[in-house]
Structure formats: C-alpha cells, structure tokens
Amino acid sequence: MGWDAGPGPDSDDPHALAGRWTAALTGGVRDHVVPMSAEETCALLARLAGEFEAIAGVPEPAARVAELGAELARSHFVGDEVLGRSIAVLGTHFGAAAVIPPDRLADMLAAFANGYVRAFRAWLLAEQESVRAAEIVARRSVEQQLRASEARFRAVFTQAGIGTGLSDLSGRIIEVNTAFATMLGYLPEEMRELSGTDLVHPSDDHGMWDLYLALLRGDHDNVQLEKAYLHRDGHTVWTNLNVSLIRDEHGDPQYTLVLVEDISEWRALREHLNYRAHHDQLTGLPNRSRFIDALTAAFADPTRSFGLCYIDLDHFKIVNDTFGHAIGDALLVQAAARLSACATRPGQLVARMGGDEFVILVPQSAGASEVAETVLDVFTQPFDIHGHHLTVTASIGVMAARTEHTSADELLQAADTTMYWAKAAGRGRYVIFDADRGRREHTRTELSAAMPAALTRDELFLDYQPIVDLADAQMVAVEALVRWRHPVLGVLTPAQFVDLAEDNGHIGALGALVLERACRDSRDWHDRYPGSTPTVSVNVSAAEVSDPTWLDRVQHVLSDTGIPPDSLQLELTERAFMQTSGRPLQALRTLAALGVHIAIDDFGTGYSNLAYLSQLPLDVIKLAGPFVHRIRTPDAASPSDVLVLESIIELSHALGFTVTAECVETSYQASRLHDLGCDTAQGWLFHRPMPVDEVTDLLAVRSPAPHRAARSGAAPPGR
C-alpha cells in the first residue's frame, strides 16, 4: 500500500488520536506532572495532533512541528517518559495511517522532539534560575534577619539593666555587659580579661561550686542562688545569680550564660528586719523568739545536757513607779549589759524574755549554777542612772536537764517556776529546780484550777472533831473540818487546799459552804437532841472577815437555819486577828453581841500579844499544838514549858476567856492540862475527825446533861 493511499484507521479523527495520546501521558507515567485536568489535557493534545497532521503537507514543516513540541513542554508536560510516549503515539498513529511518508514522518518527529527538548531545557533553566534567585533572596533575608536579631541581642545584652555575662566551660569570660562590669567596679573589656576563679568570694561555700560543676557537666540546665562578689574597691556586692547552660547542636555543654541582679540593699533590709524580728529593740539582746529557736535547736540532740538561768529583777515595778519608765528602761539596758558580761563562754546565750525577765542558756548543765552566782555578784553593785544610785537584786531559777528527759516547753516552764521560788524565798538569790517540789506545785496549780468546779459538784464535805470537857471527857463542841473528795487524788485535808482558796479568791465561796453546812448539821442536832447539842466551831480567814458582805452572810445563815447564835463559834488565827481592824473588827463585835462565840486559833504561833487580845471580842483561846506537844510525856515536859502554859491559862481566865488545848494525844497531856486549869481539849486521845453521822451516833448514846456554857466554847457566865 502506497503512502498516498486513503487515510488509515481514525486518521480523520484527531480526537481519537488525542484520546490515545492523553491515555499514554496520564496512565502510569512516572516522574512528571500533569498540570491540567483530563478534559483540558485531551483538548490540548487534540489541537496539537490536528496541527501536526495539517503541517505534514506544508513545505519545510520542521520549524512548525518543533513549535508544537515546544508548546507541549511549555504547557508543563514534563517528565522522563513524556517525550518518548508522545513520539511513540504520534509515530504509531501517522505511520499506520500512511498519510505522511515515513522519511518525512521521521523528520517531523525529530523536529517535534527537538522543539520539546529545547523548550524543556529553557523551562528547566528558568526554573533553576528562579530557585537560585529565590535562594539568594531567602539567604539575604535570613542574613538580614540574623543581623537584625544579633543587633537586637547585642542591644539587649549591652544595654540591659541586669548584669549579663557569657563564659566558656573553662570559666573564661567571653562577653560581659556594662551593667555587670559596673556592678563590680570594672569596664567590660577589663572583665573580659578575668575568669570565673577571679570572682570567688570568701563567703562562697563548697556546695555552691559543686552545684556549678554539676551544671558544667550537663547534670542541670539552670542554677539559681545568692552569691557574693568582691567589688573592685573591696566591699561586698550581694547578687541573685541565675546561671544557664548553653548546649551545642549535639546537646553537649558549650557555654554558660549568667544573669546577675544586685540585691545588696534588699539583703541589707532583709537582715535588718530579721535582726529586729529576733532582737529586743531596747537592750539589743536576742528576744524571746530567738531564744526559743536556740532552745529548739539544742533539743535536736537527744543526748545533750545544758542549763538555764531564768532571771527576774527584784522590785523593778517600784523603780518604774518611783522614777518613771525612762529610768526603768535605762536600768534594763544596763542590766542587759551586765548579764552579757556574765555569759562569755562559747555557746552561752543571753536573751530578754520581756519586761524585766531575762534568760541565759548554758551549753553545759553543770555551769548553770556558776553563771547564776556570777549574776548575783554583779548585781551587788548599784546602778548609776542619771544621777540615781539604784540597788537592784535579781531572783534566778536554775534548771539543768538532758534533752532526752524533758521538752523545751517543760524546761522553760520549770525554770520560770523556779525563779518564783527564789522570789518566795526572799529574793536576791538563786534556787535550783527540785522535781518533787515541781510536782507539788503542779498539783497545787491543778487543784486551784479545779476548785470552782469542786464547789459546785458537791466534792467538798465536812468532818467534825469533838471538843471535850477535860473534867469528864464529855463532848461539848465540834470543830468543822472541810475535806475535798478529789476524783483523782482522793480525799484532801484542809492543809492541802485552803491556802489555795485564799490565794485564788475562792476562800469566800469555800467559807460560805462550810458555814452553811455546819449550821445545817447543827440545826439537825438541835432538832434531835435539844438538851445535848454541841457548839459547832467553824474556821474563818481574815479575807472573809474583811469582805463587806461577810457579816450579812453569817447573819443570813443563822436566820435561815434557825440555830441559836450561841451554838456557833468562829475561829480566827492570831495573824488573822492582827490584820483585823476597822469594819472587820466591828463585824466580829456585832456577831459577839448576838451571842456567837469568837475564838483565837493556834494561839502561841503568831504574835501572842495578850494585851491586844483584851481589846478583841474573844471568848475562847485555843492553844497551838506545839505547846501541848512539849508536855507529851513526863520526861518531855520541862518546868519552863509547864510554866508558860500555866501563865497563858491563868491570864486567859483572868481576861474572861475559856481555854481549849489542841492536839492532845496522851493521857499525861490531858491530866496535866486539867491540873493547869485548861477547860476543854481536842485530839486523837479523845476522838479523831469523823463524819456527821458518827457525831449523831455519839449524841444518840449520850444521856441528857445540863448545858455547860462556860466549858463548851460559849461565852462565860455574865457576859
């Protein structure tokens, strides 16, 4: 078949060729990009195929065909197989159609390939140039940004108000800003000639440098601490130091960046505030807070022993009240200086606890007494304050202990308590803590606190000790003795708590309770045994008699119970009588006028002023136990003791008083007292104190007897 024969299959259908060409280029072609959709691709290739066939009959078609190849490349159909597949499709199509002679077809395909390659190369060069230009632009942009960033960093580094420095791992200073250099008195270039070892300060501890070495090893990325630097002129600059590790691209340590802030003023303020928080503003001594810290630290060692001297200035209030607080403050300052001079050994601490109280902590417990003696010695010298010569002594409580046997609070409390023992013993001395006494004092404190509740919980009750006529040993009176049935300590005697009631202000309530119960028991005895009712004797304190309401209270009890006034006897001690004058004495006279018997208890232990007794509304003298004890046996009774007793009894009778002997324990005592003219007696020889029921039983077995008023503690006949 000749090449000018009729067209081959689909030769007249460029769209069929475009379809096959599109399929060749889009199906499984690797490493190229198809920049159009399938429809757009098919339209482009159909146009190129039509033009390719149309050019076949044109003279010199190479240039036109080359343009078609170039257009395919410029349409961005690029890749390893685009040209080869296009030549294969075109060659197969036009070769089978025989519309183009083979030699001419080969020339046209060659021209198509040349046009495609030239255009592809031009496109590739353009792309490479574009990439190169973009790279240059990007590099210039990065360099510009880097220069700007470096400029900003340099400006921040140089002009920053906080000190900044850069060092290598050997400690050599690479860069430092003006703030850091100025902080230490250098120029930046001068500091760059230094190394980290040149900035060591005497206050640096090993822990700080161990931490820095760990940073250089890469164990940490950042360290923050307070560090002192030595200024060029010699003074210390305290800083807040922040050291950061800079690593290279492999993560290995490369540089250290330090940020340094001057905190000297802040630290000085902090130390000043800390000093004020732990020191007394007047004396400059450590204050209570600082002392407690030191005491707590001492207790950290459970085997440690140490001593404590708790010091209080005697009569300091009188100095303040007499000379004014300015003189008092000056006295405290001088006293503090003397105390500081007494504590010169290592570890001894002098502190002001407040007011006129000071404390000295002694590391070794054995030295506490020695320190106390030194303090007493230095306080023997008068204080010269603004022309006033003041002699002020000190009372000191000394406490020695091992930390394993007590606590800080217990130790301080014990020392404070011991100081008050020294005051009670006469002041101007020291007393060493006694554990047994401390326990007793503690018990007294607990009893004092429990007394109000005991008064309302019916824990208090009365026992009665009979008073007998020495002529026939018959009971003529009973003394009411209060008892406390304590829920823990058991039954307590008056000696264990009555003085506490006087000290803490409960004596009025206690006395009222005793008086009312004794009078009610007496009322019961009157109702049962009207012919043999004993006089009931009740102890009264000076504080009660001094109470303006006491007289009304006694009269109210007498009226409320309805007992005859001469059935009641009130006992006061000698000391109480000596403190009784004015209204209290008038109250006693009023009761005596009603018929109430008034007795002086424990006569002979106080002033024994018989002349004064004649001025009191007395009925009964009760001889104190020591007088009676001296005549316990014939061998013990000396002529002088007997003479004294005989004189007191005779003088008492001469003044119109009856005499009662206390603490009679032997038959010889009873017989001798009777021979001396003593009227009545009480003691274990006759009866021990007993409950009210036993007194009632005694009254029940007694036969009625005439009332012997003069020998029962009542007023003598004719009064």
Side-chain angles (χ1 to χ4, degrees):
M1 179 180 296
W3 288 104
D4 55 352
D10 299 327
S11 62
D12 59 348
D13 187 0
H15 292 288
L17 173 59
R20 288 194 296 273
W21 197 354
T22 298
L25 296 184
T26 60
V29 180
R30 300 185 304 274
D31 300 327
H32 76 279
V33 178
V34 179
M36 302 177 183
S37 64
E39 294 181 356
E40 291 175 332
T41 299
C42 188
L44 172 64
L45 296 181
R47 180 174 61 78
L48 293 180
E51 292 185 10
F52 190 93
E53 185 176 2
I55 293 171
V58 178
E60 302 295 333
R64 298 279 302 274
V65 174
E67 181 60 24
L68 296 179
E71 185 175 352
L72 180 63
R74 286 195 294 272
S75 297
H76 297 220
F77 283 85
V78 295
D80 294 343
E81 300 183 16
V82 169
L83 179 60
R85 291 193 175 224
S86 297
I87 293 298
V89 170
L90 291 174
T92 301
H93 174 77
F94 288 109
V99 294
I100 302 175
D103 55 343
R104 190 174 180 84
L105 178 60
D107 292 339
M108 291 178 68
L109 292 176
F112 182 85
N114 289 335
Y116 177 88
V117 170
R118 284 196 297 272
F120 177 77
R121 184 169 57 250
W123 171 82
L124 185 59
L125 291 175
E127 287 295 317
Q128 290 176 344
E129 184 63 25
S130 175
V131 170
R132 188 162 48 251
E135 181 182 359
I136 293 172
V137 170
R139 184 182 302 113
R140 289 177 178 174
S141 175
V142 169
E143 290 175 352
Q144 184 178 5
Q145 292 177 7
L146 184 60
R147 285 193 297 272
S149 176
E150 184 176 355
R152 287 193 299 270
F153 174 77
R154 176 63 58 182
V156 171
F157 186 90
T158 304
Q159 301 175 16
I162 189 170
T164 308
L166 188 68
S167 302
D168 61 19
L169 298 185
S170 69
R172 183 177 63 88
I173 297 176
I174 300 173
E175 190 60 82
V176 67
N177 69 350
T178 303
F180 194 4
T182 303
M183 190 184 302
L184 303 184
Y186 295 93
L187 296 173
E189 54 270 23
E190 292 174 329
M191 282 198 69
R192 285 194 289 269
E193 297 177 0
L194 304 176
S195 67
T197 56
D198 296 321
L199 302 178
V200 173
H201 190 271
S203 67
D204 293 345
D205 56 32
H206 293 294
M208 174 188 300
W209 291 105
D210 291 342
L211 197 61
Y212 180 69
L213 292 176
L215 179 80
L216 296 181
R217 291 194 303 268
D219 298 344
H220 312 290
D221 286 326
N222 182 269
V223 172
Q224 294 183 5
L225 46 85
E226 285 188 11
K227 173 173 168 45
Y229 287 100
L230 201 60
H231 193 275
R232 194 171 192 172
D233 63 10
H235 75 271
T236 296
V237 179
W238 279 97
T239 67
N240 188 14
L241 186 66
N242 188 313
V243 185
S244 298
L245 182 65
I246 300 176
R247 300 176 184 268
D248 60 17
E249 63 273 15
H250 303 296
D252 296 326
Q254 188 174 21
Y255 302 107
T256 58
L257 176 68
V258 296
L259 302 179
V260 188
E261 180 183 8
D262 187 347
I263 60 169
S264 299
E265 293 185 2
W266 176 84
R267 183 182 174 90
L269 176 61
R270 184 183 67 183
E271 291 180 350
H272 175 68
L273 294 177
N274 183 67
Y275 180 87
R276 293 194 61 178
H278 292 91
H279 288 79
D280 176 56
Q281 299 304 301
L282 177 64
T283 63
L285 292 177
N287 59 11
R288 183 183 185 90
S289 175
R290 173 69 184 87
F291 171 75
I292 294 299
D293 290 343
L295 189 60
T296 303
F299 271 83
D301 182 358
T303 63
R304 182 177 178 182
S305 63
F306 56 88
L308 203 63
C309 294
Y310 204 104
I311 305 161
D312 184 88
L313 305 187
D314 296 328
H315 302 301
F316 177 73
K317 185 177 185 300
I318 296 177
V319 175
N320 265 345
D321 294 343
T322 305
F323 300 100
H325 288 277
I327 298 296
D329 288 348
L331 173 60
L332 290 174
V333 172
Q334 290 192 22
R338 293 190 184 186
L339 292 174
S340 296
C342 296
T344 57
R345 295 185 179 180
Q348 294 181 345
L349 175 69
V350 182
R352 183 186 179 195
M353 300 300 284
D356 60 337
E357 293 185 353
F358 301 85
V359 67
I360 301 178
L361 183 64
V362 184
Q364 297 298 326
S365 59
S369 297
E370 179 183 344
V371 172
E373 291 176 354
T374 304
V375 171
L376 293 178
D377 184 59
V378 300
F379 271 77
T380 59
Q381 299 298 320
F383 291 87
D384 187 358
I385 302 175
H386 304 319
H388 300 286
H389 296 280
L390 306 176
T391 299
V392 178
T393 59
S395 297
I396 308 173
V398 176
M399 182 71 186
R402 292 176 65 90
T403 57
E404 61 184 342
H405 297 150
T406 185
S407 67
D409 290 340
E410 291 171 346
L411 181 72
L412 192 58
Q413 179 61 44
D416 186 27
T417 299
T418 311
M419 180 268 292
Y420 282 104
W421 294 351
K423 282 191 175 294
R427 297 182 171 86
R429 68 195 64 207
Y430 75 87
V431 173
I432 299 175
F433 178 74
D434 176 23
D436 292 335
R437 181 177 177 180
R439 283 188 288 269
R440 292 194 300 270
E441 293 285 347
H442 182 72
T443 300
R444 286 173 58 86
T445 302
E446 290 185 337
L447 289 177
S448 181
M451 189 168 293
L455 291 168
T456 60
R457 288 201 296 239
D458 202 30
E459 293 179 4
L460 298 169
F461 65 95
L462 299 183
D463 276 348
Y464 294 93
Q465 185 171 37
I467 300 173
V468 303
D469 190 323
L470 281 174
D472 56 12
Q474 291 296 311
M475 180 174 63
V476 294
V478 290
E479 181 180 359
L481 302 172
V482 65
R483 304 285 191 258
W484 183 354
R485 187 177 290 105
H486 193 278
V488 176
L489 301 177
V491 176
L492 307 178
T493 64
Q496 294 174 282
F497 63 88
V498 170
D499 59 337
L500 288 178
E502 293 183 356
D503 293 340
N504 60 28
H506 297 307
I507 190 63
L510 178 61
L513 182 146
V514 173
L515 178 64
E516 181 178 358
R517 290 191 180 180
C519 288
R520 292 196 180 280
D521 289 340
S522 179
R523 175 74 267 172
D524 181 62
W525 294 329
H526 271 282
D527 292 341
R528 293 189 181 190
Y529 313 104
S532 56
T533 303
T535 300
V536 63
S537 188
V538 177
N539 291 279
V540 181
S541 69
E544 290 180 86
V545 179
S546 299
D547 185 351
T549 66
W550 178 73
L551 175 59
D552 292 337
R553 187 159 59 246
V554 175
Q555 291 176 323
H556 175 75
V557 171
L558 289 173
S559 174
D560 189 48
T561 58
I563 67 170
D566 63 357
S567 294
L568 175 64
Q569 177 172 287
L570 300 178
E571 296 185 19
L572 283 82
T573 63
E574 275 189 84
R575 187 176 298 275
F577 268 113
M578 296 303 296
Q579 298 173 3
T580 302
S581 61
R583 180 183 295 176
L585 182 57
Q586 184 58 45
L588 292 175
R589 287 173 175 160
T590 299
L591 292 173
L594 292 175
V596 175
H597 306 305
I598 307 297
I600 185 168
D601 192 19
D602 291 332
F603 183 80
T605 59
Y607 297 93
S608 300
N609 190 336
L610 295 176
Y612 179 71
L613 296 181
S614 64
Q615 304 175 27
L616 300 175
L618 286 177
D619 298 297
V620 179
I621 298 292
K622 298 189 72 174
L623 296 175
F627 281 110
V628 179
H629 184 73
R630 293 191 185 106
I631 60 170
R632 180 180 179 84
T633 63
D635 295 335
S638 67
S640 60
D641 292 332
V642 174
L643 181 60
V644 169
L645 280 172
E646 184 178 15
S647 299
I648 293 174
I649 293 171
E650 288 181 355
L651 183 57
S652 297
H653 286 163
L655 293 172
F657 308 145
T658 59
V659 180
T660 299
E662 299 181 299
C663 302
V664 178
E665 298 178 350
T666 67
S667 299
Y668 179 79
Q669 287 172 315
S671 174
R672 201 73 178 89
L673 287 166
H674 180 263
D675 292 343
L676 293 173
C678 185
D679 303 294
T680 56
Q682 64 186 103
W684 287 4
L685 174 65
F686 308 107
H687 299 282
R688 291 176 179 267
M690 61 185 65
V692 60
D693 294 340
E694 292 186 20
V695 175
T696 303
D697 293 340
L698 284 178
L699 294 175
V701 300
R702 281 182 52 183
S703 59
H707 183 57
R708 291 179 293 274
R711 292 186 175 273
S712 66
R719 175 184 142 171

